[in-house]
Amino acid sequence: MATESPATDSGGGIAQVTFRVRCETLGHGEAIFLSQADNPSGSRIPLFTTAKSYPWYTTRTPLSLPLPATQNINKTYRYRYAIHRAGIFHRWEQPSDGGGIEEFRAQQTIESGDSTAVHIVPLRLLHGGEIYTVNDVLGVTAGPPDIDHIKMRNNFSSVGSLARKNASGGSLYGLNSRSNSTVGMTDQGSKKKVGFAPQPPPTSHRSSEAGAIKQAVHLTSSDGLIVVSAFLPVHLTRSNDGEWSADWDYEALLSMQTHLRVTRVGTVKWRGWHGNVGGGKSDESGVPVDERHKVEAVLRPFNCVPVWVPTTLFGEMYNGFCKGVLWPILHNVASVYSSPQTGNAEKPDADKDIEPYDSQYAEYSMDDVAQGPIHGDGGREGELWAAFTAVNRHFTDVIIQCFNEGDLIWIHGFHLMILPSFLTRRISMAKIGIFLHTPFPSSEIFRTLWCREDLLRGMLNADQVGFHLFEYARHFLTCCRRLLGLNYGMFPDSSGGHNLAIDTNGRHVSVTSIHAGVEPPVLHQVLSHKSTSDRVASIRNQFRGKVIFAAIDRMESLKGIPLKLIALERFLQRCPEWAGKIVVVQVGISAFERGDDYTKTRNEIISMVTNINNRWPGTVQFQECAESEMRLQQRMALLRAADVVMVTTIRDGLNLIPLEFTIAHLDALTEQGRNDGRKRGLCILSEFSSCTRVMRGALHVNPWKISEIATAFFQALTMSEDERMRRISIASEFVTRVTTQRWALAVMLDLKGVQKNEDAGKYAGAGLGLGFRLLGMDSKFNSLDANSVARAYRSAKSRLILLDYGGTILANDNLDQLQRFQFVKKSRPPSVPTDGLISTLKELCSDHRNIVFVVSGKERHSLTKTLCHIPNLGLAAEHGMFVSWPTPKVGGKRRWETLVPDQDRSWRSIATMIMEVYTSRTHGSYIEETEMKVLWQYRDADPEFGYLQSRELEDHLSNVLRGFSVDILHGGVEEGGYVEVRPKGVNKGVVSMHIIKNMEKIFNKGKLEFALVIGDDHCDEPMLSVMRQVGRRASEARIAKKGGQPLAPLPATIAQVDVSSCDEFISSNLKCFTSTVGKKPTAAANYVNDVEDVHELLESLVKVTTRETVHSGFYSVVDLKTMDDTPTSPGPEAVKYDAQTSWQRSLSMCQLHTPDISNEPTDAKVSNNLDEFFGLMEEDGEDEDNFF
């Protein structure tokens, strides 16, 4: 349709339009420009992007589009996008630029005169004086325009008035465009419905700025992806003259092509890759070292990077540990009755007709059928585990070399389960996903592995864990819950939704369950090949007039081939009329790596096939072949020729054969397919296969129930035409909708959408070896600097030290569950403080500037028994319910006061009676009673059942004790697993504020200038949160006086509490230090490693106090500044001197010595070592500057 130039008709006013286009295929050095389709040689408007808005490109200023008069409603604005390379026109946009991410309805494409697709905006959808945004996808011109109605603006009656209003800028019509910042926005007038966009709310439903729009997660051509698998998805060939070539392994799941920047990492399959020397005792083992550079060069165009692992080591890992240990366990097989087998064991006579295979396979392959010395002999399993970890380390080194900042890392297969642990040590900010293509066993099976915790932690060091079915994901979640005590649930994400994730060490590990698909275009291409058609015709002619049942399985016990043959025999016994009318074509893939399992399975199959064919000749056609002889082309030919496919596996992971069979028979739904006379297209599928959840049109059977399989034979042969068509249609829904690319895209979008802070300091590592784990915490969470604490401590005149008891200044007795139970039942004495700790606390309490409190969850008598003989030490028992203020008196009874009024305690008997009921119903639970609380412990119970019982108990107590002033607290398994009832308003945070408010009244102290707070577990978090917020308010006051920048927000781990009531008791110069024992997510600002570090820190503070007294006999340079001051520390009277005091040279280096006032000769003090001389020289440098 010819379109007049709208420049000549502006009777409808002027609309301001911003154009946005999503460009995912734009290459490096390329730019995007907007061009009017009716004037391609005219000026072009550039579009720009930012790091936040990419891949959206936007015109910098709105374009001014004159609108036609009302009667010219058919006028349009036609435009297209041009790609410039290095500032020069390169090409117009193409349909291929749209990529495969967006789905658009197929509509007729309007083309311009040069056959280039154009975008069209009907001008009748726009209104004068208003602002719009047009959203496009590069290369996609079909469908209605996506127009956002932004907001009303000042109306201009004509083009001339608009031109006079603007002094500069250009538009496609030679008119002036306006910047958003100069557009006068008004809310007057009603909002109009524009085009196909939804009716806007009273205020704009989208921001006019692209950067302010909360974009969904997209994968673009600039995204880097490293795909890691045990083997690269390529085929290598080597000519006789030593030249190498490679080709894609198109049937491999990871060989799919994509617009992303993909690097594939893995080993290459070549002769001897498994470490064997072959049946002919060839010396060749893997790719020769001197030819590896040739293989690397051949793989470079495929973006494949090989991992060179010694073949013997890889064989130990792959055949020994993965196939021999992990494979049976992951498939829910754990036998303790199998007798050990060795590779040199004498094979039965029935094995003599089997091709010889290397004895190493038998040694490596030890599963339920041939269980070797894997579990518990203390030697062999160590060797296999060492090989497994060594190969994962080889992969780590190669991945690090290929990694660029921002790349996604996608790991595939159970062979690399611990790889995330090695990667997070070195690239903690990388987003790492791992996807298992095998089943995952129940916790009762998985816990039989001696390396279970290491494998789970290895997977949890990834950011996303993927499975094909939720059933497998559920088992994984349960293992993490039962074996590691971790919680899982639906956690909010950055886009406002919720994701299934595991909460571990302050991080959320996303768990994804998406079943993979197949690529229909690739399969259709194989089916249309002449060689495939010829092979299909050959098979059909060979079994003319018979219904063909096809099965392709590996020769191992897990595939259930004998069960299938038993069912066939039973079916023919019950329905003899079908004898000679059906044939079962069973293809067995040789599985030499399965060792004795393969041998036994093969012998059993051959024996059963012989018996069936003797009774019903020609019923079973059994063919064994190598995996290389049953590739995609041969497999699709057999599936196309077959009428029914059978999968009777007893436990299986990803199995794509039913999906490929469905693609091969999609034409059965057409009119021609209905009339070909074949009853084809049905799947008989085991309910233990992963695809049974997505192939809803198949006949599902329990392979262990032979009668069900026999019945499935009968159903497939006698099914009505309507039901068969319905089942094929239902099965085809998934295979045509979920392709391999769509599956990969969904998983990658989940991985890219994982919330991972860009600040590397947000994450910290903890643990040694495979116990390493990534912790998520505040980006400034560092080890507590003892020097900073000492400097602040020395200069402060009013100090507060709050210390937890067990786990902080004393070893934690609650770590061991048995010890905890023995302490509660008073059958084991608790740990007591050492003499060194007692001495340190006495020294700290002797300084009159210090207020030292031990705040514990223990009872009063426990604290009194161990700490009552320390003068001036404050005690807080039962999380602060009882407080004993510091007193110089020692021994005897201490005076205690309660934090809250001692009210009615009748609730205790009620709570205890209810808890006794739940204790009798929950094995492993027990009741713990103290003076002021009652606690139901279920840390020794079954985690799942204990948690369910605790939730029920919590609800029960909440209803019954509603009228009492009590708090009901619930701690999960990671906190020890308990339900606690205590008086309302009691916790360590409240008692810390109570101490601060009473400092001046009780101790005659000035405002607080120094605070040190140390705890170790969740009970101490309220105290750490409160004190950190108290310190923050002091810092904010200092910053406000200086007019500095505001502080960053507190991390989410801190529970917000109103601490303003403490303001009048703290100094604006307060230095507050909060620390937890051990590196873990916490409200504290810092951490110390262990209890010994706490002791060292307290001892260093004692040294600071000691150095402030003159009886030390020598001084550091920094101490000289304080000699003019009146001593404030307790101890011997300070040495008095005046300005005329003469200085004598010390015998030690640079030491200044003060002569004795009494003029009596004294010996000079000489430092015994450098450490004694320097003491705590790491003090504030400004002190020395002031002195000099």
Side-chain angles (χ1 to χ4, degrees), residues 683 807 964:
C683 298
F964 295 91

Side-chain angles (χ1 to χ4, degrees), residues 527-539:
L527 290 170
S528 63
H529 199 274
K530 186 179 183 303
S531 61
T532 306
S533 302
D534 294 343
R535 179 60 180 159
V536 171
S538 174
I539 297 174

Side-chain angles (χ1 to χ4, degrees), residues 504-562:
T504 169
N505 299 309
R507 299 168 50 243
H508 290 162
V509 179
S510 176
V511 178
T512 301
S513 55
I514 304 175
H515 199 282
V518 293
E519 283 297 313
V522 175
L523 300 183
H524 286 311
Q525 185 177 359
V526 173
L527 290 170
S528 63
H529 199 274
K530 186 179 183 303
S531 61
T532 306
S533 302
D534 294 343
R535 179 60 180 159
V536 171
S538 174
I539 297 174
R540 295 297 304 174
N541 289 331
Q542 181 181 355
F543 306 108
R544 184 180 299 275
K546 295 184 177 182
V547 179
I548 302 175
F549 289 78
I552 305 173
D553 302 287
R554 295 185 68 82
M555 303 278 282
E556 57 179 313
S557 57
L558 287 173
K559 299 305 179 182
I561 302 177

